Amino acid sequence: MPTDSKFQAVPTIPVSQRIRERIVNAKVRYHANDNIADFIEPGELDLLLAEVEGKLRGVLESLVIDTASDHNTLDTGRRVAKMYLNEIFKGRYLPMPPVTEFPNASHLNELMIIGPITVRSACSHHLCPIIGKVWIGVMPNEHSNLIGLSKYARIADWIMSRPQIQEEAVVQLADALQEKMQPDGLAVVMEADHFCMHWRGVKDMDSKMINSVMHGSFLKDPNLRREFLSLIKK
């Protein structure tokens, strides 16, 4: 612990508290499925990982697990911390991946469907896995920006790699794509298994959740919506 010139202990402010103070001072929301990358300074993710590792060790101790002599759980705190920050919750801490945009030079105005894209997330209620598929429908106009096929998957992964509930995740994905592309119409459908139902609680292995978000022409034109939904079923 750092000390001042009189050798008195000076408390170290946890990096999570420093980040939280920046967010609160900016009056920005920081819910489980929000991105907070703008408030994290260089080098702080490593410090945050170490802080989370220490607290996870405390969780294991409170579960009365002898991590000192159990070789299987000796490094579990660090493994789980790395998994949270670098993998399954990385969409909170990293900025949106770079997306190359192309002008609609050919004035494309036909229905485009991308999917199924495999997505993985975690339920923000129990931190249990959510694993499913996403289909995206796009009706571009001559002013729309077009993005590369792989970028749909990258943006979906960025949105889903946070503690989520499915109803909000599809809205966030649709909003991000709408802002990037400005199409005449946008549709997102997600179907997923929720391990908070499979693994705990009712332990129902067969239930899935399907929901959708429709923007623009998909909302106004029932024939277009019908065409999109019939094609993704195939």
Side-chain angles (χ1 to χ4, degrees):
M1 182 178 293
T3 58
D4 60 18
S5 57
K6 295 181 180 179
F7 302 103
Q8 294 176 330
V10 177
T12 301
I13 299 175
V15 66
S16 62
Q17 183 178 331
R18 297 203 300 268
I19 295 169
R20 185 180 292 106
E21 286 175 355
R22 292 181 204 128
I23 298 171
V24 171
N25 290 338
K27 295 180 170 59
V28 172
R29 198 184 80 165
Y30 59 106
H31 289 183
N33 61 354
D34 289 327
N35 180 272
I36 59 171
D38 288 345
F39 301 95
I40 299 174
E41 296 181 354
E44 285 188 332
L45 270 183
D46 290 336
L47 297 174
L48 190 59
L49 192 152
E51 181 182 333
V52 173
E53 176 188 356
K55 293 188 175 181
L56 284 167
R57 279 207 207 97
V59 170
L60 294 172
E61 290 171 4
S62 294
L63 291 171
V64 199
I65 295 174
D66 181 5
T67 58
S69 62
D70 180 359
H71 62 279
N72 289 317
T73 57
L74 178 62
D75 293 318
T76 294
R78 182 159 186 82
R79 283 193 293 264
V80 175
K82 289 173 68 176
M83 178 183 71
Y84 281 163
L85 269 68
N86 298 339
E87 296 181 80
I88 61 176
F89 298 159
K90 65 184 178 183
R92 297 199 75 235
Y93 307 106
L94 301 178
M96 178 184 281
V99 176
T100 304
E101 301 173 18
F102 307 94
N104 188 1
S106 299
H107 295 177
L108 301 173
N109 62 354
E110 299 293 334
L111 172 61
M112 298 169 15
I113 298 177
I114 301 93
I117 299 169
T118 299
V119 291
R120 299 168 183 84
S121 189
C123 165
S124 50
H125 296 158
H126 295 95
L127 301 186
C128 287
I130 300 172
I131 300 177
K133 305 284 186 183
V134 165
W135 292 262
I136 299 166
V138 179
M139 275 295 292
N141 59 52
E142 61 182 76
H143 304 295
S144 297
N145 292 323
L146 304 180
I147 65 176
L149 187 61
S150 66
K151 303 306 185 291
Y152 292 96
R154 292 184 186 278
I155 293 174
D157 179 61
W158 180 67
I159 293 290
M160 298 296 168
S161 294
R162 310 168 190 184
Q164 285 281 14
I165 63 169
Q166 185 172 331
E167 303 93 311
E168 294 178 355
V170 292
V171 172
Q172 286 186 322
L173 178 56
D175 288 347
L177 292 170
Q178 182 73 34
E179 183 179 351
K180 277 288 177 189
M181 302 178 69
Q182 298 296 315
D184 278 347
L186 181 75
V188 177
V189 171
M190 180 173 172
E191 175 184 288
D193 290 293
H194 290 244
F195 282 69
C196 58
M197 286 189 66
H198 296 348
W199 198 19
R200 56 159 301 281
V202 295
K203 296 185 174 69
D204 184 341
M205 297 299 295
D206 298 319
S207 295
K208 296 179 183 290
M209 182 175 183
I210 303 172
N211 62 331
S212 65
V213 173
M214 306 283 172
H215 287 180
S217 53
F218 284 95
L219 196 59
K220 299 172 185 176
D221 185 344
N223 291 325
L224 176 62
R225 184 165 62 250
R226 194 176 301 115
E227 179 185 3
F228 168 67
L229 293 174
S230 67
L231 286 173
I232 68 173
K233 287 179 182 177
K234 298 177 181 178

